[in-house]
Amino acid sequence: MAVARMDGSVEVFHCSDRFFQEKIIPGREQCGIEGLSWVGERLFSAGLNGGITEYDLTNQKAKYTIDAYGGPIWAIAGNQQGTHLAVGCEDGTVKLFEVNEDSIQFERNLDRQKSRIVSLSWHPSGSKIAAGMMDMIQVFNIETGHSLHRMLADRGVGTSRSKECVVWSVVYLSDGTIITGDSVGMVKLWDDQTGTLIKSHNVTKCDVLALSVSQNEDSLVAGTSEGIVVQFQFVSMVLEKDDKEWVRTRTFRNHTHDIRAVAEITTAVVSGGMDAQLVVRPLLDKIEERSAASALRKIHFPHRRLVSCARKSGLMLFQYPGHLELWRLGESEGKGSSLFVKRNPEKLLHLKVKGEDHIRCSAVSPCGEWIVYSTASTLRLYRLHCDNNNISITKISKLPKVLSSASQLCFSSDSSHLFSASAQSSVHLVSISQSGCKFVGTLKPKSGERTIGFLAIHLLAASEDGKWVASANSDHEVHIYNLQTRKAHCTVPVYSSAVTAMGIHPATNCVFMMHADQQMFEYSIEQKQYTDWSRTVQRKGLHRLWVERDTPCLNVMFSPQNPSHVILHDMYMLCIIDQSLVRQTRIQKAFSLIFLILVDLCIYIYIYIYIYICLLFQLPAPIKQKKFAT
Amino acid sequence: FRFVLCTSGDSVKVYSTRTEEWLHSLQGHTNQVTGIALNRANHLQVYSCSADGTVKLWDFIDGILIKTFIIGYPLFAIYVSEKHDGIVFLHIAMDTDSKNECFQLVAVHLPKSAEQEVEAKELSAVSSRISPNPSCTAFGREGQYIAFARHLQLNVYFFRKQKTYSFSLKATDKKGAKNAFTCIACHPADDCIATGHEDGKIRLWRNFIHTKEYTYSTQHWHHNAVNTLCFTPEGTNLLSGGIESVLVQWQYGAGNRKEFLPRLGGSILHVSTSSDGQLFCTSHSDNKITVIESSFKVCGVIQGLVKGDAVLTDLMIDPRSKALVLNGKPGHLQFYSLMRDKHLYNLDIVQQEYIYEAGLDQFEVVKAAFDINGYWLATVEERGQKSSDLEFVLKLWAYDERTQSFVLNTTITAAHTDRIISMCFSSSEETTMLVTTAEDGQFKAWCQGADADTQQDQSFWSCEFVGSYHNLKPTNCSFSADSSLLAVNFQEVITIWSPDTWELLTTLCQPPGVVRDLCFGRLSCSKYLIATTTRNLLCCWNLLTCALEWSTSVEVSKLQPDPLSENVAAFSYQSKHTDLFVFKPSEPRPLFTHKNMCSEKIHRAVFVPREEPLNNCDESSQWLNRSQLYFLTQNMDLLTFSTATEEDRMLSSSKRLVIDDSVAVTPFYLLLGKHRQQQQKLNTPSHPAADKPQQPQGSVTITELLHTPAHVLPAASVLCSMLVSSLLISNTGVRKDPLREMESSEQEMNSEKEEEHSEEEMEACDSQQELRAQGSVDEVTPKLSKAQERELKRIRKTDFSWMTGLIDSKP
């Protein structure tokens, strides 16, 4: 499932892997996306800047952008055959593009209309297309390019009479029914043979912004600007007879603001909107077996670490789409249950990105001397000079050519090397020093029998002793490289779920991996096998409450005091896993987890919540409605 | 569609939807009637089931019992379906469960036989473990399936497939929903089941032949449990009602489009529609039926004795209208005519909008008292009984002759510093005085006096005297019959005051035990003061000697003196049942004892004066001759004692009803039949109970003339003479009988509406009595000659004089 955000970024979620956010393609300034369309395995987007963009999902970046020359594009739709792409433009034209092997090519315009095309939907046969416009819906014949029907949508009553009715969304079913959602709050069903209205449902007092129909066309969801999702089902009114009707059934209220996009994916309804969260509401009647994977899921935060920490100097780097912030942690005195804050945290640096591209990844070195970030096109390395209160940075010029762009960045523990994950699943090793930086080598996985290119790396972890580095890519592969030989050391057996966080234990040099389905593994690098502890955990199984959590773990850390403590955190909690406990006490099911909040680490979560709350404050007020009438 | 049927105790009452009048009741069950259902095969017939274990089939238009089916188990609800002819579905209690909490649904095949009483033996269980709530079961489209819910589970049983589909909901969710089912309705044409839930949601279930892919949509308007759901016959609308007393009409298939009909009274318990969908009917918790047109307009209200949450006031008799007065609608006093068993009107005491929501603390009328003439009414309303900050207002209402109702005269907001416990008016005719006792240890006397500041001729009430006794808490106060003495009890001590001088005359004390109730004797026993204490003692003091006359050990929950006789009724609650003793204060032996009267405690009772005294020779029922005793149980059932002759009369009238159908009742026949009936009545004066409704005769004829359609009226000449003659007779009758004169003047005082009503009832009564006439008159003559008329008149005159002579000689 692909999701486009207002800042132009496109995220790809894996529906069967607990909606893990596999890929993030950062956006650009001034690039609002209005529509997304899959054509086969290819993803296209169109936006108000008038361009159609195809994405390279392997390397997680935009492949190319073609201008449609029709003004801002409001809608994009690909046909089911995968041959054509239609875009609806501000100038009133529906433009057809032919999808070629490696690009798309303009074919022709359909009959030009007077008002802008707001929504588009292909008939599943690919011979007709329905377009929603201001105050009306048009049906075009693809062969001739002429309009077949023109159906007028009613304006609202009263004061909204003067406002034109925007047909925000349209769905064309294979039986010839056209379903539209408009700004009057109606979901209307039309017959494309006669061009007449069959039925209309008043869903809301405000706009119906999005519609989506299920694969087998028996369920339809509509998202409204009140923040509710309404489900319609195609059910027979008299049981065991075939005269079916669309009946409004369920209502889902999970959003506080406008819902801009909905998708009915048969087992669930996915909705996203202005409140920046993505809600996956399972449809229990379609799910064979209820499990943790089929629970209601709200995705607020990216499944990526956007904060990096310089442990030795107490600096934290926060990554925003357009800038970086460097903070120095506060200090506290004494030990005990309540700590007094001696020095408040302070913001040291606000680094704006050059150019229009947004930041893809960033890192701060453990010594706190180096800051690196990468956009889709450039990589920049800065050196931080910090003497008391004077902070200055200098950009390191003359970077090696391999460091043109990175999908993930990581410093070695002694800050002497920078690891930069690049295309083809390879990791570049660059040594950095006062004098400058020097390319050392490239770590490549054993290609083996694989012929297709490797996917982009989204996680990197370096060992404390500087011997090993581990990388995880979106194919769920974890490669471990020996830094001394600069060769691939081994590959962890591929697990079915994506790796969400990993770390190398400083003492035992075991890779600790967390997966999207909340399973945890520990793999010994030296012995090239899973550790006993990991096998025990897998044999005994994890506790139900642990498995049913709905956010993936984002970080793996190891307690310096107690080597058997592994510290994990996700969006909502920090937890410490005591590896020694499992070995000693043979608890059957209840996997002993000690949940503990650590004051220092808590800051991670605060920051995420802070960002989220800031975002909420920036939002316009949701539509006001009276809860209780008098 | 002209009749509304409702169950009422052990009978089914039939009301007309046009006039809202009670037509007749279908009597025959020996226990509570628990359910009624129209016979689908014959729309003029109705099934009723009762806890006595029988199902009866009635012709409800004529009120005839057609058949009785004996099932043998107590029945709790009845359902019929179109598809299952000759089968009724009944709720019976599970045999295994002693607590009656488990019910099963059984189908009973009703045997076809000509006999009146048939035993139906063919029982087959449809489902066990169903909800005890009868509205949680409903038949689906064409009787193909039955849906029943219990707690959180909805079951749909298909008769053809013989398969049950079950759907359950979670008890609650994060948002605090309460999902227990409260009622069910099935769409008549589509396969759609509407269910109501405890938190006010309405769910519409579809596709329920799939255990997984079933679906439902949720509507939420009610803020509390949905009590009832009903689809209109065409299925275009769904009606729902709950505690909010708002009838909501949901448009079927149009999402949340809905209409409201608010402020219907008490919470809505049932909704039903007529088979043509023109009329809706709602029944309310305050004993009311509202008839509503399909255009959502109330077109009729059938009001019984208003049943509130609790009766906080005493039962009282309005001395003017002789109506029973007690708490009615929240914040109101209701006036209820016991003679005609009809609700007269509600008097708004609190004068604030009542909010229909559970758990709110709102003003309630807690005390009320009439003075002896019925000219003044004193009320106390209270709020905050549960919380610490108590608010109460004492209001005095004067009767306004012009508007024929009570008008607020004085509002006293801080009559006492703490709540008022009791109050009473002085019983003398000349001065009206109100005495209130309160928890602050004081009693106050209030008098009417002209306010010096305002120059109006209106007079308001002000405090005249504040009395207290050793800082004890007064509880009861009572005036003696001639108002020369006021008795106020302060815990164990009864103090006697003179209202003229406000002098403490004497104190009476009989410890231990706090005095619970006290009253003075009446008439010849007015020198006695009777009091009950918490230590199960009934004491009687002679006020002339100030000594204890007698006392007896009996636990008395309510002491009620009869204003028209010396008798005092005492209700005693012992070992879980109530006994009634009636005694005269002069002698410690009871006149009448009724052991084990009912199982509940009686706190409210009243003696209602009879319109005319009975002359009963029976020793045991003599105390009922002048007035009737009504009492209220904790279930809000109003019960009364009746004499043997009254019972006979009621029985005979009901028997007459049954043989009614052999004569065609035309208005014409009614008109002429009445004369014969009157004749008959006068010839048999030994049966005085039969002519109970004593009405001015003339007006009956007039209204009948006016109400009868013109094309069925006899010739004008006939009518004219009849009219004149009937007027003449009534005049002579009134002149000669002083007692009757008083009554007729009383009746004239009543509002026009009431008179109309009484005429209607008169008609019903007439139709019964004319049958009696049938025996004496052999053939029905359509016209009467003037000579015959004159003859009739003559007979009547003579008879009347003879009868009044008899009456005069009687006492």
Side-chain angles (χ1 to χ4, degrees):
Chain A
M1 182 178 68
V3 173
R5 289 197 188 261
M6 294 271 265
D7 64 354
S9 64
V10 173
E11 295 162 9
V12 179
F13 291 83
H14 199 299
C15 293
S16 54
D17 190 16
R18 301 223 184 174
F19 287 90
F20 180 65
Q21 193 179 29
E22 269 193 2
K23 302 179 170 82
I24 300 176
I25 301 165
R28 294 159 61 89
E29 289 295 316
Q30 313 291 328
C31 164
I33 294 177
E34 281 295 318
L36 277 176
S37 178
W38 288 96
V39 176
E41 291 285 298
R42 296 161 75 180
L43 181 66
F44 293 90
S45 81
L48 294 181
N49 58 1
I52 304 169
T53 308
E54 185 180 354
Y55 292 96
D56 177 1
L57 293 176
T58 315
N59 292 316
Q60 302 185 13
K61 60 182 185 186
K63 212 170 179 179
Y64 58 85
T65 300
I66 287 176
D67 201 327
Y69 299 108
I73 299 173
W74 290 94
I76 181 168
N79 63 357
Q80 276 193 2
Q81 289 72 28
T83 55
H84 286 88
L85 204 60
V87 293
C89 303
E90 175 78 20
D91 65 352
T93 52
V94 177
K95 292 176 192 286
L96 282 185
F97 286 84
E98 195 184 351
V99 180
N100 293 332
E101 191 75 7
D102 51 356
S103 83
I104 55 171
Q105 195 174 14
F106 176 73
E107 194 173 284
R108 63 197 168 95
N109 281 338
L110 302 185
D111 281 359
R112 185 173 172 164
Q113 303 300 316
K114 283 207 179 82
S115 62
R116 69 173 72 112
I117 311 284
V118 182
S119 50
L120 280 175
S121 177
W122 289 84
H123 188 264
S125 69
S127 61
K128 286 180 274 191
I129 192 166
M133 280 177 272
M134 315 305 274
D135 278 334
M136 64 172 144
I137 302 116
Q138 293 261 17
V139 185
F140 296 99
N141 187 335
I142 296 296
E143 292 288 313
T144 60
H146 296 313
S147 166
L148 290 172
H149 281 294
R150 195 173 140 227
M151 298 172 281
L152 293 180
D154 282 338
R155 290 184 178 186
V157 287
T159 50
S160 53
R161 186 89 231 164
S162 53
K163 272 195 239 166
E164 52 191 358
C165 168
V166 186
V167 181
W168 284 118
S169 183
V170 62
V171 163
Y172 208 148
L173 301 185
S174 53
D175 64 352
T177 311
I178 298 170
I179 303 173
T180 61
D182 55 30
S183 62
V184 183
M186 308 288 271
V187 171
K188 289 182 172 172
L189 283 83
W190 310 81
D191 183 12
D192 77 331
Q193 290 293 318
T194 56
T196 49
L197 182 68
I198 305 169
K199 194 161 187 193
S200 66
H201 291 273
N202 191 358
V203 171
T204 169
K205 290 192 180 71
C206 39
D207 303 25
V208 177
L209 293 176
L211 289 175
S212 172
V213 74
S214 67
Q215 199 79 45
N216 52 359
E217 298 188 351
D218 65 349
S219 168
L220 175 89
V221 286
T224 72
S225 54
E226 277 176 332
I228 59 171
V229 176
V230 180
Q231 193 192 10
F232 292 85
Q233 278 176 291
F234 198 50
V235 292
S236 50
M237 297 311 278
V238 175
L239 291 175
E240 291 163 344
K241 285 191 184 166
D242 269 351
D243 51 340
K244 291 192 170 183
E245 269 182 52
W246 284 99
V247 178
R248 178 182 170 165
T249 54
R250 275 167 279 208
T251 306
F252 310 121
R253 291 165 206 274
N254 294 313
H255 290 271
T256 55
H257 290 72
D258 304 29
I259 291 174
R260 292 290 306 272
V262 286
E264 145 73 274
I265 54 169
T266 309
T267 56
V269 174
V270 186
S271 56
M274 295 291 282
D275 53 0
Q277 59 174 336
L278 199 67
V279 177
V280 183
R281 173 67 166 73
L283 296 172
L284 294 178
D285 53 335
K286 297 284 175 12
I287 293 167
E288 295 299 320
E289 191 185 356
R290 287 195 65 177
S291 65
S294 66
L296 176 74
R297 203 171 281 273
K298 288 188 178 183
I299 302 166
H300 296 273
F301 304 108
H303 295 164
R304 287 281 191 281
R305 280 168 60 195
L306 298 181
V307 177
S308 47
C309 176
R311 226 173 298 158
K312 285 162 192 158
S313 55
L315 296 177
M316 301 195 89
L317 183 74
F318 304 137
Q319 177 189 328
Y320 291 85
H323 65 268
L324 293 170
E325 281 183 13
L326 189 71
W327 285 68
R328 182 191 284 141
L329 289 178
E331 278 177 27
S332 62
E333 55 180 338
K335 283 182 179 178
S337 55
S338 59
L339 299 175
F340 293 97
V341 177
K342 207 160 67 181
R343 196 180 66 192
N344 285 326
E346 57 177 331
K347 184 175 169 182
L348 300 177
L349 195 67
H350 184 103
L351 187 64
K352 273 196 174 173
V353 175
K354 282 262 167 69
E356 287 185 331
D357 288 344
H358 287 164
I359 299 173
R360 197 163 166 187
C361 53
S362 63
V364 62
S365 67
C367 63
E369 209 175 324
W370 304 92
I371 294 172
V372 65
Y373 76 83
S374 166
T375 66
S377 53
T378 57
L379 185 141
R380 279 166 202 265
L381 182 67
Y382 293 94
R383 182 144 181 242
L384 188 74
H385 307 281
C386 183
D387 34 307
N388 292 328
N389 289 327
N390 291 329
I391 288 135
S392 61
I393 52 168
T394 47
K395 187 192 159 197
I396 309 294
S397 52
K398 287 191 274 176
L399 288 176
K401 270 191 184 157
V402 291
L403 292 185
S404 62
S405 168
S407 60
Q408 186 60 267
L409 291 162
C410 176
F411 286 96
S412 66
S413 59
D414 56 357
S415 305
S416 63
H417 289 84
L418 170 67
F419 306 105
S420 155
S422 74
Q424 304 304 314
S425 219
S426 58
V427 179
H428 299 299
L429 182 60
V430 178
S431 74
I432 43 174
S433 58
Q434 303 276 358
S435 53
C437 64
K438 206 176 84 194
F439 175 68
V440 179
T442 303
L443 306 170
K444 276 189 183 167
K446 285 176 195 152
S447 58
E449 65 269 26
R450 284 194 70 140
T451 49
I452 313 159
F454 287 95
L455 291 169
I457 287 168
H458 68 275
L459 281 174
L460 279 175
S463 71
E464 193 74 23
D465 57 6
K467 266 187 182 171
W468 310 100
V469 68
S471 76
N473 66 13
S474 43
D475 247 358
H476 313 169
E477 290 170 328
V478 177
H479 299 287
I480 296 161
Y481 304 101
N482 189 332
L483 289 176
Q484 280 150 353
T485 61
R486 288 173 204 155
K487 288 270 165 57
H489 178 69
C490 62
T491 304
V492 178
V494 176
Y495 183 65
S496 61
S497 182
V499 183
T500 64
M502 82 184 163
I504 298 175
H505 199 286
T508 60
N509 272 347
C510 293
V511 189
F512 194 95
M513 289 161 291
M514 288 302 303
H515 290 272
D517 61 353
Q518 311 294 356
Q519 295 294 334
M520 51 184 87
F521 291 98
E522 198 185 28
Y523 186 81
S524 167
I525 293 173
E526 274 130 19
Q527 290 161 15
K528 296 190 184 178
Q529 62 179 13
Y530 285 119
T531 60
D532 289 344
W533 179 83
S534 176
R535 289 173 201 274
T536 317
V537 167
Q538 286 306 312
R539 201 169 54 242
K540 289 187 174 169
L542 292 165
H543 192 260
R544 191 175 55 87
L545 288 175
W546 174 263
V547 179
E548 283 179 3
R549 291 178 317 117
D550 66 344
T551 51
C553 276
L554 293 183
N555 205 355
V556 175
M557 286 164 289
F558 303 94
S559 169
Q561 279 91 29
N562 190 341
S564 66
H565 282 186
V566 181
I567 304 165
L568 304 174
H569 89 86
D570 66 5
M571 278 315 150
Y572 301 108
M573 62 148 204
L574 277 167
C575 78
I576 297 177
I577 292 177
D578 193 338
Q579 289 179 308
S580 60
L581 277 181
V582 176
R583 228 175 288 156
Q584 287 163 8
T585 58
R586 293 190 180 153
I587 307 158
Q588 282 296 321
K589 271 257 166 151
F591 184 66
S592 86
L593 296 172
I594 306 156
F595 291 85
L596 190 79
I597 301 292
L598 297 177
V599 177
D600 265 359
L601 297 172
C602 217
I603 238 168
Y604 278 114
I605 291 159
Y606 282 150
I607 292 301
Y608 280 116
I609 292 169
Y610 172 77
I611 295 169
Y612 185 64
I613 289 171
C614 283
L615 182 116
L616 284 188
F617 275 121
Q618 287 164 9
L619 288 178
I623 286 168
K624 269 193 184 158
Q625 45 189 326
K626 273 185 183 170
K627 282 274 164 70
F628 295 100
T630 49
Chain B
F1 331 123
R2 288 151 45 211
F3 304 102
V4 177
L5 285 86
C6 74
T7 64
S8 161
D10 57 358
S11 64
V12 179
K13 288 188 171 175
V14 183
Y15 290 92
S16 156
T17 55
R18 301 245 172 84
T19 61
E20 304 125 42
E21 290 306 330
W22 174 58
L23 297 176
H24 48 253
S25 56
L26 313 175
Q27 278 173 331
H29 284 293
T30 55
N31 204 336
Q32 184 99 19
V33 179
T34 47
I36 47 175
L38 287 176
N39 186 3
R40 300 281 173 159
N42 183 345
H43 68 280
L44 298 179
Q45 292 179 348
V46 66
Y47 287 107
S48 71
C49 74
S50 159
D52 63 3
T54 56
V55 172
K56 288 176 193 272
L57 182 64
W58 308 83
D59 180 336
F60 62 85
I61 294 191
D62 298 326
I64 305 165
L65 174 65
I66 297 170
K67 251 182 198 178
T68 304
F69 303 99
I70 299 164
I71 311 292
Y73 305 101
L75 310 173
F76 296 98
I78 187 167
Y79 310 95
V80 294
S81 95
E82 306 160 44
K83 206 185 149 205
H84 303 86
D85 198 20
I87 297 177
V88 293
F89 295 86
L90 298 161
H91 273 191
I92 62 172
M94 292 272 272
D95 302 333
T96 50
D97 204 313
S98 56
K99 284 183 202 162
N100 276 4
E101 276 179 350
C102 252
F103 291 82
Q104 58 179 342
L105 185 75
V106 292
V108 178
H109 194 85
L110 300 176
K112 281 179 184 155
S113 76
E115 292 166 55
Q116 268 273 315
E117 286 205 1
V118 192
E119 254 186 81
K121 291 267 180 184
E122 284 180 53
L123 268 73
S124 54
V126 177
S127 169
S128 56
R129 304 183 71 79
I130 58 168
S131 163
N133 183 356
S135 46
C136 278
T137 308
F139 276 94
R141 173 178 59 90
E142 293 157 7
Q144 294 208 338
Y145 56 90
I146 185 166
F148 45 94
R150 187 171 185 269
H151 298 318
L152 292 162
Q153 197 173 40
L154 171 72
N155 299 296
V156 185
Y157 177 76
F158 284 84
F159 290 108
R160 191 175 294 161
K161 286 192 266 180
Q162 303 214 324
K163 195 172 171 193
T164 309
Y165 295 92
S166 297
F167 313 100
S168 29
L169 294 170
K170 270 190 231 157
T172 182
D173 61 11
K174 281 175 205 153
K175 290 165 191 159
K178 287 180 277 183
N179 285 331
F181 287 92
T182 54
C183 52
I184 281 189
C186 294
H187 194 275
D190 289 349
D191 282 323
C192 172
I193 300 174
T195 60
H197 296 266
E198 215 164 66
D199 55 352
K201 284 192 183 113
I202 294 171
R203 289 192 166 90
L204 293 171
W205 299 72
R206 286 191 183 79
N207 239 356
F208 38 79
I209 49 168
H210 303 284
T211 47
K212 224 167 166 47
E213 288 184 12
Y214 68 93
T215 175
Y216 58 79
S217 55
T218 311
Q219 308 283 358
H220 201 170
W221 184 85
H222 294 279
H223 67 67
N224 250 322
V226 184
N227 283 337
T228 177
L229 283 172
C230 179
F231 275 103
T232 53
E234 298 297 316
T236 49
N237 291 310
L238 172 70
L239 301 167
S240 70
I243 194 176
E244 306 86 359
S245 86
V246 180
L247 183 67
V248 186
Q249 177 174 277
W250 307 82
Q251 209 172 325
Y252 176 71
N256 42 15
R257 211 173 297 160
K258 50 193 177 280
E259 274 184 79
F260 305 105
L261 188 61
R263 294 183 193 89
L264 289 175
S267 63
I268 296 174
L269 298 181
H270 295 284
V271 174
S272 70
T273 60
S274 65
S275 57
D276 60 350
Q278 288 299 308
L279 290 175
F280 309 140
C281 221
T282 58
S283 79
H284 300 263
S285 62
D286 58 352
N287 210 357
K288 185 166 103 170
I289 296 173
T290 313
V291 185
I292 296 157
E293 284 174 15
S294 56
S295 57
F296 244 49
K297 224 165 61 186
V298 175
C299 65
V301 176
I302 299 164
Q303 175 77 62
L305 182 68
V306 177
K307 183 180 157 190
D309 298 332
V311 173
L312 300 164
T313 65
D314 273 334
L315 297 180
M316 285 162 298
I317 295 298
D318 178 16
R320 272 169 195 274
S321 61
K322 298 283 182 285
L324 180 71
V325 179
L326 68 160
N327 278 122
K329 275 161 65 174
H332 289 63
L333 281 180
Q334 63 172 323
F335 287 69
Y336 193 83
S337 169
L338 291 167
M339 310 304 166
R340 282 171 285 128
D341 195 15
K342 188 165 162 72
H343 178 83
L344 298 180
Y345 61 93
N346 275 314
L347 180 67
D348 190 357
I349 301 294
V350 172
Q351 298 179 332
Q352 281 179 11
E353 182 88 12
Y354 185 79
I355 302 158
Y356 284 97
E357 196 185 321
L360 285 185
D361 200 3
Q362 302 185 68
F363 270 113
E364 272 293 343
V365 184
V366 291
K367 296 276 179 298
F370 281 99
D371 78 332
I372 195 144
N373 299 324
Y375 186 71
W376 289 102
L377 165 68
T379 59
V380 176
E381 62 208 57
E382 232 177 58
R383 179 166 74 173
Q385 284 101 326
K386 291 154 206 156
S387 58
S388 55
D389 48 337
L390 183 81
E391 286 177 70
F392 62 94
V393 180
L394 173 68
K395 281 180 178 170
L396 284 137
W397 306 74
Y399 190 74
D400 189 357
E401 297 283 350
R402 202 163 43 81
T403 57
Q404 296 283 307
S405 68
F406 284 94
V407 177
L408 185 62
N409 179 278
T410 311
T411 304
I412 304 160
T413 46
H416 284 272
T417 51
D418 211 338
R419 72 190 302 171
I420 294 173
I421 300 169
S422 71
M423 61 179 179
C424 67
F425 274 100
S426 71
S427 40
S428 75
E429 304 264 342
E430 297 87 48
T431 56
T432 47
M433 183 189 289
L434 176 73
V435 173
T436 55
T437 64
E439 272 181 358
D440 58 356
Q442 290 176 333
F443 75 90
K444 287 186 180 177
W446 307 85
C447 261
Q448 201 184 355
D451 200 338
D453 300 338
T454 55
Q455 296 300 314
Q456 292 160 339
D457 49 348
Q458 261 189 307
S459 57
F460 296 101
W461 288 72
S462 54
C463 184
E464 195 192 68
F465 178 73
V466 181
S468 62
Y469 183 81
H470 289 298
N471 233 347
L472 292 173
K473 203 166 78 178
T475 45
N476 281 296
C477 56
S478 175
F479 276 97
S480 66
D482 56 354
S483 285
S484 62
L485 293 175
L486 166 69
V488 182
N489 78 296
F490 292 91
Q491 290 180 355
E492 295 98 344
V493 188
I494 299 172
T495 55
I496 310 289
W497 304 73
S498 156
D500 300 324
T501 59
W502 291 116
E503 192 183 344
L504 177 62
L505 297 176
T506 183
T507 58
L508 305 167
C509 190
Q510 186 69 24
V514 177
V515 175
R516 187 187 276 163
D517 214 345
L518 86 167
C519 68
F520 280 94
R522 302 279 155 178
L523 304 177
S524 66
C525 294
S526 55
K527 62 184 175 192
Y528 294 106
L529 175 69
I530 307 145
T532 63
T533 67
T534 50
R535 292 297 179 90
N536 301 349
L537 214 56
L538 179 66
C539 311
C540 179
W541 281 279
N542 187 334
L543 291 173
L544 298 178
T545 61
C546 290
L548 189 68
E549 188 87 4
W550 53 268
S551 71
T552 174
S553 176
V554 59
E555 141 95 84
V556 176
S557 63
K558 174 72 188 169
L559 199 62
Q560 184 66 36
D562 182 1
L564 295 182
S565 68
E566 294 94 351
N567 299 331
V568 177
F571 292 92
S572 150
Y573 183 74
Q574 267 170 338
S575 58
K576 296 202 167 175
H577 57 83
T578 300
D579 304 329
L580 171 69
F581 301 101
V582 181
F583 60 94
K584 283 189 178 164
S586 52
E587 46 189 321
R589 272 183 301 109
L591 279 175
F592 171 78
T593 319
H594 192 293
K595 291 270 182 192
N596 204 351
M597 193 171 59
C598 61
S599 59
E600 292 138 335
K601 212 168 180 174
I602 306 279
H603 278 293
R604 316 273 176 225
V606 72
F607 274 100
V608 181
R610 285 184 193 277
E611 298 206 349
E612 77 184 303
L614 295 172
N615 47 348
N616 227 321
C617 324
D618 193 2
E619 179 76 24
S620 66
S621 56
Q622 243 173 11
W623 60 281
L624 286 169
N625 277 1
R626 295 184 73 85
S627 41
Q628 229 177 331
L629 178 65
Y630 283 84
F631 54 92
L632 199 70
T633 65
Q634 278 173 335
N635 291 2
M636 296 283 297
D637 292 327
L638 190 66
L639 304 176
T640 186
F641 275 93
S642 62
T643 58
T645 47
E646 280 175 312
E647 296 238 313
D648 286 348
R649 196 186 59 212
M650 281 198 280
L651 215 69
S652 60
S653 67
S654 64
K655 270 184 190 157
R656 257 177 269 124
L657 259 173
V658 179
I659 46 163
D660 192 60
D661 57 342
S662 57
V663 182
V665 185
T666 62
F668 185 58
Y669 178 80
L670 278 179
L671 205 61
L672 296 170
K674 180 154 13 346
H675 293 276
R676 287 196 308 278
Q677 161 236 324
Q678 277 165 359
Q679 202 177 354
Q680 177 79 13
K681 196 197 303 177
L682 297 170
N683 288 337
T684 54
S686 58
H687 198 131
D691 48 359
K692 177 192 159 203
Q694 300 280 338
Q695 299 288 336
Q697 307 282 322
S699 58
V700 180
T701 322
I702 291 165
T703 46
E704 209 156 276
L705 279 179
L706 294 175
H707 285 195
T708 313
H711 63 278
V712 295
L713 276 178
S717 59
V718 179
L719 289 172
C720 183
S721 65
M722 276 165 51
L723 181 65
V724 170
S725 65
S726 62
L727 286 171
L728 279 173
I729 290 158
S730 78
N731 282 348
T732 53
V734 167
R735 204 189 311 129
K736 281 177 183 171
D737 191 345
L739 195 105
R740 194 172 286 183
E741 188 172 29
M742 207 174 74
E743 278 166 17
S744 60
S745 64
E746 234 173 55
Q747 238 121 25
E748 272 153 22
M749 259 168 42
N750 290 345
S751 65
E752 207 179 358
K753 200 176 107 190
E754 285 164 36
E755 199 166 82
E756 254 180 43
H757 162 75
S758 57
E759 306 299 1
E760 295 278 355
E761 195 171 85
M762 176 76 183
E763 261 183 50
C765 198
D766 284 344
S767 62
Q768 298 164 14
Q769 282 164 344
E770 71 208 16
L771 285 159
R772 202 145 41 91
Q774 212 193 353
S776 62
V777 182
D778 289 324
E779 54 173 323
V780 182
T781 46
K783 283 177 189 171
L784 286 171
S785 70
K786 285 189 178 175
Q788 276 173 315
E789 277 292 334
R790 220 167 289 139
E791 176 65 19
L792 266 174
K793 205 159 61 185
R794 196 184 54 77
I795 292 169
R796 221 168 273 164
K797 268 182 188 171
T798 53
D799 274 351
F800 252 102
S801 59
W802 169 66
M803 191 181 77
T804 44
L806 197 85
I807 290 169
D808 286 344
S809 66
K810 221 182 282 168

